[in-house]
Amino acid sequence: MTVDLRVIRELEAIVGADFVRTEAGDVEPYSRDATPTFRAVPDAVVWPRTAEEVAAILKLATARHVPVVPRGAGSNLCAGTLADRGGIVLVLTRMDEILEVSSDELLARVETGVTTTALSDAAAAKGLLYAPDPGSRTVSTVGGNVATCAGGLRGLKYGVTRNYVLGATAVLPTGEIIKTGGRLWKDVAGYDLTRLLTGSEGTLGVLTEVTVALLPMPASTNTGVAYFPTLSDAGTAVGAIIGAGIVPATLEFLDAKCIGAVEEYAHLGLRSDAGALLLFGDDGAEDVVERNLTRIGEICTDTKAMEVTLAENIARAQALLEARRCSLPALSRLGTMTILEDATVPRPRLAEMVGRIDAIAASHDVPVATFGHAGDGNLHPTIVVDQHDDDGIKRAHEAFGDIFKAAIGMEGTITGEHGVGAAKLPYLTDRLGADQMALLRRIKAAFDPAGILNPGKLGS
Amino acid sequence: MTVDLRVIRELEAIVGADFVRTEAGDVEPYSRDATPTFRAVPDAVVWPRTAEEVAAILKLATARHVPVVPRGAGSNLCAGTLADRGGIVLVLTRMDEILEVSSDELLARVETGVTTTALSDAAAAKGLLYAPDPGSRTVSTVGGNVATCAGGLRGLKYGVTRNYVLGATAVLPTGEIIKTGGRLWKDVAGYDLTRLLTGSEGTLGVLTEVTVALLPMPASTNTGVAYFPTLSDAGTAVGAIIGAGIVPATLEFLDAKCIGAVEEYAHLGLRSDAGALLLFGDDGAEDVVERNLTRIGEICTDTKAMEVTLAENIARAQALLEARRCSLPALSRLGTMTILEDATVPRPRLAEMVGRIDAIAASHDVPVATFGHAGDGNLHPTIVVDQHDDDGIKRAHEAFGDIFKAAIGMEGTITGEHGVGAAKLPYLTDRLGADQMALLRRIKAAFDPAGILNPGKLGS
């Protein structure tokens, strides 16, 4: 136990005794996040309510060298919020107020414990769109989204979370509360700390408030689906769509194994004889959406699609999107442990990479299915194993190691949108090189001299 | 002289004697950039050709504690590329190769000495758009654009340079060559060094190559102009346009003094009786552009516009844009020294801020005219004085000090797109606070332990 009783009493003095927990039964839920196979039991779980409370906690932790792991909903898939070195898990879900939604300025200001969906809904109520839509959005917090620079299904046209963070309030590990950026789209006063904190996975500071950019809500949105004999044909279609000057909001794919699993799970009426499914969607003025989707459909037909269907109504469009969104739960039913990864390659190499993934999985004797963001080259290869099959789990991890190597070899990366966490830190040097890793550590030390904030993750 | 002869000989050994200059006549052009009143004569000017040469130079400079100031075209307006502490000006314009333009991947890879226009033209030749379009684009280098996170006339819809940098090759002050990011839109492996380098004004590393995102070239673009009795009316129109869910590519304004100066300079047929001119433009499918501009025109008419004109052809649209682009040269004719600034406020406070600027200028007895990006709240108040009038120059700088304070007081910033440099470093603490300034210095030290890279600028 790295947190002694005196520290516990001080934590209670800061946040109130109700919001500090050390009993085994109370801390157990915080020993895991959404990442399978990783587990670490914290010594204490603390729920602060204000930035000032967070500052007092971090000051104390730095003075006593106690690890602090910030956490939102814990829906991350990279073991990014586990207390590997013990210490305190700092849960930010009590800080869940939507402080402001401004139509005039196209922005929202929220505490970081707000869920992504709550932010989206509050924006939508004023006719505005919060563009990032990560898969876990109904439970994930905005703070967690910013800390991991979360992506989502609209990334191709709209970009990822980093493009929408205008400003942040962050508490430094030494207790200072800083405000980076603000309410402006254009502000170059100082180093871009807003972006440096975005994607820093809770290792540089604890985000307590963010200001995010909103957009006018598009007047309409629609979705279509195309089936292809092979994933390579689908890849050709994606290249032709982009080549025709169309960058739709959504361009997602499922491989044959995913299609089968999704159909068995959700009975959406998907074809079982296709090698790949391409889901495409766009939003904007109704006639523009109609025109873009029709053109995409034609391009798919011209590039060997077996069948192309545009959703005839909103309900059907939602059902098609559901095919993509339920890929993970559908695959999860095939075993008792689902390990989903996030390798990314340049867009034209998507099909080649899926071929490599299949070959790698076969060589390690593990079943794999792959879905993901075709427009971004962002793949989610998913291996399903039995949670009691230690050797199977070991083979799965070895397969992912090879998959990461293959992605890097294609000028790709080990994570497009899920984060590094503890799960992928062992592969990060392969991606960045030793010089850049050393620089990351020096930056980490510039923020966190005592190394108390989420140790064992980025910057370690 | 901080650079002794031994160092000069070593520099010559690295880049060749032709590319090292120390004679007064040779270094004089590098004693200024585009910022009036600032001047600093370097000891030497060096033109490297490769990242490896840059690495050797920086390693030498760190070992000998010689300041190095990286420079592209020197078109910045913040005294960001002057050798205030002597030493070497490192001119990157020989590194001007366009290495790749990929239609498949919608990206370009260029050496950083390439001009913005050369990059735009190379992209356009393949039917692609490089979205950032800073005012100095015909001479400015892409490296300079990235180092200052340059904006431009299309920022409202397309965002600024930071949104388009996918990857960078940077040489650290200690000589390591690192590659950040790469060819991917989504890549969260490690801290976002790409964005940290973007806008770091040459204080953290020397950029030698960048990979930037391109977009399909919009099928059409058009422009319109509206005249208003007062700037406040124009501000109301801007709010109503955004409120109607339209985010056009361009939404620029000129105040009455700017309109007069531009008309006198360029004879574009602008009205002389208006209090403000609003220039609006959009791009995309022809019918969508037509529809958006018509709607914007209607909104302007509904919000007290005296007159609204849509350009009837491309030549006329270019002429209208020219009204905005020539604001700076037009104002420059009114005196022998033009000091242009870059304060930014939240969009709804634009007219209020211009009112404050006028009052501040009057109280300091200096003439001011203001134009800028109405959609972003990004203002360019411009004071024209006689270059021999020391007292007038002093009063101009005092006025800008008050303008920056006023902008900060309105939740704005001291620079939206031009950078901090030496010119605005004295005001940066007011914007960021002492804690954040200290953090900037620690980050600077993490990159540049000897403090040789562009000293006296950000991180100092």
Side-chain angles (χ1 to χ4, degrees):
Chain A
M1 167 110 172
T2 57
V3 183
D4 68 27
L5 204 59
R6 222 172 22 170
V7 170
I8 299 296
R9 293 290 163 263
E10 293 188 62
L11 290 169
E12 289 173 346
I14 294 167
V15 296
D18 283 354
F19 299 110
V20 179
R21 286 284 179 269
T22 57
E23 296 291 313
D26 292 331
V27 303
E28 175 59 31
Y30 299 90
S31 68
R32 296 181 189 278
D33 54 28
T35 323
T37 81
F38 288 84
R39 181 169 180 269
V41 182
D43 298 303
V45 180
V46 179
W47 289 261
R49 181 61 195 90
T50 65
E52 289 68 27
E53 289 180 5
V54 172
I57 294 164
L58 294 189
K59 218 165 178 173
L60 171 67
T62 283
R64 304 296 175 78
H65 285 80
V66 177
V68 176
V69 180
R71 177 179 170 124
S75 54
N76 76 86
L77 294 162
C78 64
T81 51
L82 298 188
D84 312 87
R85 315 273 167 98
I88 300 163
V89 166
L90 192 73
V91 184
L92 297 160
T93 48
R94 284 178 69 214
M95 301 183 62
D96 63 350
E97 208 172 319
I98 294 175
L99 302 166
E100 181 184 2
V101 177
S102 167
S103 309
D104 287 350
E105 294 188 52
L106 294 181
L107 59 78
R109 201 161 51 84
V110 301
E111 291 185 324
T112 46
V114 162
T115 66
T116 318
T117 294
L119 165 59
S120 297
D121 288 350
K126 292 203 172 191
L128 302 171
L129 173 74
Y130 177 62
D133 64 337
S136 54
R137 68 204 183 289
T138 54
V139 294
S140 66
T141 64
V142 174
N145 293 170
V146 175
T148 54
C149 189
L153 293 198
R154 289 194 285 246
L156 180 58
K157 178 170 167 178
Y158 288 107
V160 294
T161 300
R162 104 160 56 87
N163 299 69
Y164 294 89
V165 189
L166 299 174
T169 302
V171 185
L172 300 184
T174 37
E176 301 95 319
I177 300 174
I178 62 168
K179 287 173 189 287
T180 74
R183 305 172 75 87
L184 308 172
W185 268 243
K186 287 162 99 176
D187 183 358
V188 292
Y191 297 140
D192 191 350
L193 299 188
T194 307
R195 243 60 49 183
L196 183 57
L197 289 165
T198 303
S200 67
E201 303 184 7
T203 63
L204 300 181
V206 176
L207 297 163
T208 57
E209 185 184 311
V210 291
T211 303
V212 296
L214 305 174
L215 296 170
M217 183 67 78
S220 88
T221 134
N222 202 358
T223 304
V225 65
Y227 296 92
F228 292 88
T230 68
L231 195 63
S232 175
D233 295 324
T236 304
V238 168
I241 293 164
I242 301 287
I246 305 172
V247 180
T250 295
L251 208 44
E252 303 283 312
F253 79 98
L254 277 65
D255 74 1
K257 281 164 283 184
C258 266
I259 300 172
V262 166
E263 184 53 27
E264 197 158 305
Y265 171 73
H267 310 293
L268 298 166
L270 306 180
R271 277 179 79 135
S272 60
D273 60 343
L277 177 159
L278 195 65
L279 191 77
F280 50 92
D282 205 9
D283 56 16
E286 202 173 338
D287 54 342
V288 177
V289 171
E290 174 83 19
R291 186 163 62 200
N292 281 350
L293 292 200
T294 302
R295 184 83 190 94
I296 291 173
E298 288 166 2
I299 292 169
C300 288
T301 303
D302 291 348
T303 49
K304 299 197 192 165
M306 304 156 68
E307 180 187 332
V308 177
T309 316
L310 303 193
E312 66 274 15
N313 55 44
I314 292 173
R316 188 63 198 149
Q318 290 295 339
L320 288 178
L321 276 175
E322 190 56 24
R324 167 62 182 82
R325 291 212 184 268
C326 76
S327 295
L328 178 55
L331 290 168
S332 299
R333 292 169 73 237
L334 305 180
T336 50
M337 177 175 288
T338 309
I339 314 177
L340 174 145
E341 268 307 342
D342 185 36
T344 304
V345 294
R347 185 193 307 116
R349 305 188 74 168
L350 184 87
E352 178 189 354
M353 181 65 194
V354 175
R356 289 286 292 279
I357 288 170
D358 287 345
I360 288 167
S363 78
H364 289 279
D365 193 22
V366 286
V368 72
T370 302
F371 61 95
H373 313 287
D376 307 312
N378 185 194
L379 303 138
H380 296 316
T382 305
I383 296 177
V384 183
V385 291
D386 179 344
Q387 61 180 336
H388 303 297
D389 177 6
D390 290 341
D391 190 62
I393 293 170
K394 184 165 160 280
R395 280 183 280 117
H397 282 296
E398 286 167 357
F400 280 124
D402 287 351
I403 288 169
F404 296 142
K405 273 201 194 73
I408 292 169
M410 291 185 193
E411 300 192 80
T413 191
I414 60 175
T415 175
E417 59 180 5
H418 290 174
V420 174
K424 270 168 286 188
L425 195 62
Y427 309 102
L428 193 60
T429 305
D430 283 351
R431 171 72 184 97
L432 300 182
D435 287 338
Q436 198 169 157
M437 287 295 282
L439 180 58
L440 259 49
R441 282 189 283 269
R442 295 198 298 274
I443 293 170
K444 163 77 172 172
F447 280 79
D448 185 10
I452 57 121
L453 205 54
N454 211 357
K457 313 289 167 39
L458 279 183
S460 297
Chain B
M1 167 112 172
T2 58
V3 183
D4 67 27
L5 204 60
R6 220 171 23 169
V7 170
I8 299 295
R9 293 288 163 265
E10 291 188 64
L11 290 168
E12 289 174 347
I14 294 166
V15 297
D18 283 353
F19 299 111
V20 179
R21 286 284 178 269
T22 57
E23 295 291 315
D26 292 331
V27 304
E28 175 59 31
Y30 299 91
S31 69
R32 297 183 187 275
D33 54 27
T35 323
T37 82
F38 287 85
R39 180 167 181 269
V41 182
D43 297 303
V45 180
V46 179
W47 288 261
R49 180 61 195 90
T50 65
E52 288 69 27
E53 288 180 4
V54 172
I57 293 164
L58 294 189
K59 218 167 178 170
L60 172 66
T62 283
R64 304 295 175 81
H65 286 79
V66 176
V68 176
V69 180
R71 176 178 171 125
S75 53
N76 76 85
L77 294 163
C78 64
T81 51
L82 297 189
D84 311 85
R85 316 274 166 99
I88 300 163
V89 166
L90 192 73
V91 183
L92 296 159
T93 48
R94 284 178 69 214
M95 302 183 62
D96 64 348
E97 208 171 319
I98 294 175
L99 302 165
E100 180 183 1
V101 178
S102 167
S103 310
D104 287 350
E105 295 188 50
L106 294 180
L107 59 79
R109 200 160 52 82
V110 301
E111 291 184 323
T112 47
V114 162
T115 66
T116 318
T117 293
L119 165 58
S120 296
D121 288 350
K126 292 205 172 190
L128 301 171
L129 173 74
Y130 177 62
D133 64 338
S136 53
R137 67 204 184 290
T138 54
V139 294
S140 66
T141 63
V142 175
N145 293 169
V146 174
T148 54
C149 189
L153 293 198
R154 289 193 286 246
L156 180 57
K157 178 170 168 179
Y158 288 106
V160 294
T161 300
R162 104 162 54 88
N163 299 71
Y164 294 89
V165 189
L166 298 173
T169 301
V171 185
L172 300 185
T174 37
E176 302 95 317
I177 301 173
I178 63 168
K179 287 172 189 288
T180 73
R183 305 172 74 86
L184 309 171
W185 268 244
K186 287 161 98 177
D187 183 357
V188 293
Y191 297 138
D192 191 349
L193 299 189
T194 307
R195 240 64 48 185
L196 183 57
L197 288 165
T198 302
S200 68
E201 302 183 8
T203 63
L204 301 180
V206 176
L207 297 163
T208 57
E209 185 184 311
V210 291
T211 303
V212 297
L214 305 175
L215 296 169
M217 183 66 79
S220 87
T221 136
N222 203 358
T223 303
V225 64
Y227 296 91
F228 292 88
T230 69
L231 195 63
S232 174
D233 295 324
T236 304
V238 169
I241 293 163
I242 302 287
I246 305 173
V247 181
T250 294
L251 207 45
E252 302 284 312
F253 79 98
L254 276 64
D255 73 2
K257 281 163 281 184
C258 266
I259 299 171
V262 166
E263 184 53 27
E264 196 157 307
Y265 171 72
H267 309 293
L268 298 165
L270 306 181
R271 275 179 80 135
S272 61
D273 60 343
L277 177 159
L278 196 65
L279 190 78
F280 49 92
D282 205 9
D283 56 16
E286 201 173 337
D287 54 342
V288 177
V289 172
E290 174 83 18
R291 186 162 63 200
N292 281 349
L293 292 201
T294 302
R295 185 85 189 92
I296 291 173
E298 288 165 1
I299 291 168
C300 288
T301 302
D302 291 348
T303 49
K304 299 197 192 163
M306 302 156 68
E307 180 187 332
V308 177
T309 316
L310 303 193
E312 65 275 16
N313 55 44
I314 292 174
R316 187 66 197 147
Q318 290 295 341
L320 288 178
L321 276 175
E322 190 56 24
R324 167 62 181 82
R325 291 212 185 268
C326 76
S327 295
L328 178 54
L331 290 169
S332 299
R333 293 170 70 237
L334 306 181
T336 49
M337 177 175 288
T338 310
I339 314 177
L340 175 144
E341 268 308 341
D342 185 37
T344 304
V345 294
R347 187 193 306 117
R349 304 188 75 170
L350 185 85
E352 179 189 353
M353 181 64 192
V354 175
R356 288 286 292 280
I357 288 170
D358 287 345
I360 288 168
S363 79
H364 289 278
D365 192 23
V366 287
V368 72
T370 303
F371 61 96
H373 313 287
D376 307 313
N378 186 192
L379 302 139
H380 296 317
T382 304
I383 296 177
V384 183
V385 290
D386 178 345
Q387 62 181 336
H388 303 297
D389 177 6
D390 289 343
D391 189 63
I393 293 171
K394 184 166 160 281
R395 281 183 279 118
H397 283 296
E398 285 167 357
F400 280 124
D402 287 350
I403 288 170
F404 296 142
K405 273 200 194 75
I408 292 170
M410 291 186 193
E411 300 192 79
T413 192
I414 60 174
T415 174
E417 58 181 5
H418 290 175
V420 175
K424 270 168 287 188
L425 195 63
Y427 308 102
L428 193 60
T429 306
D430 283 351
R431 170 72 184 97
L432 300 182
D435 288 338
Q436 198 170 157
M437 287 295 282
L439 180 58
L440 259 48
R441 282 189 282 268
R442 296 198 298 274
I443 293 170
K444 163 76 172 173
F447 280 79
D448 185 10
I452 58 123
L453 206 54
N454 211 358
K457 314 288 168 39
L458 278 183
S460 295

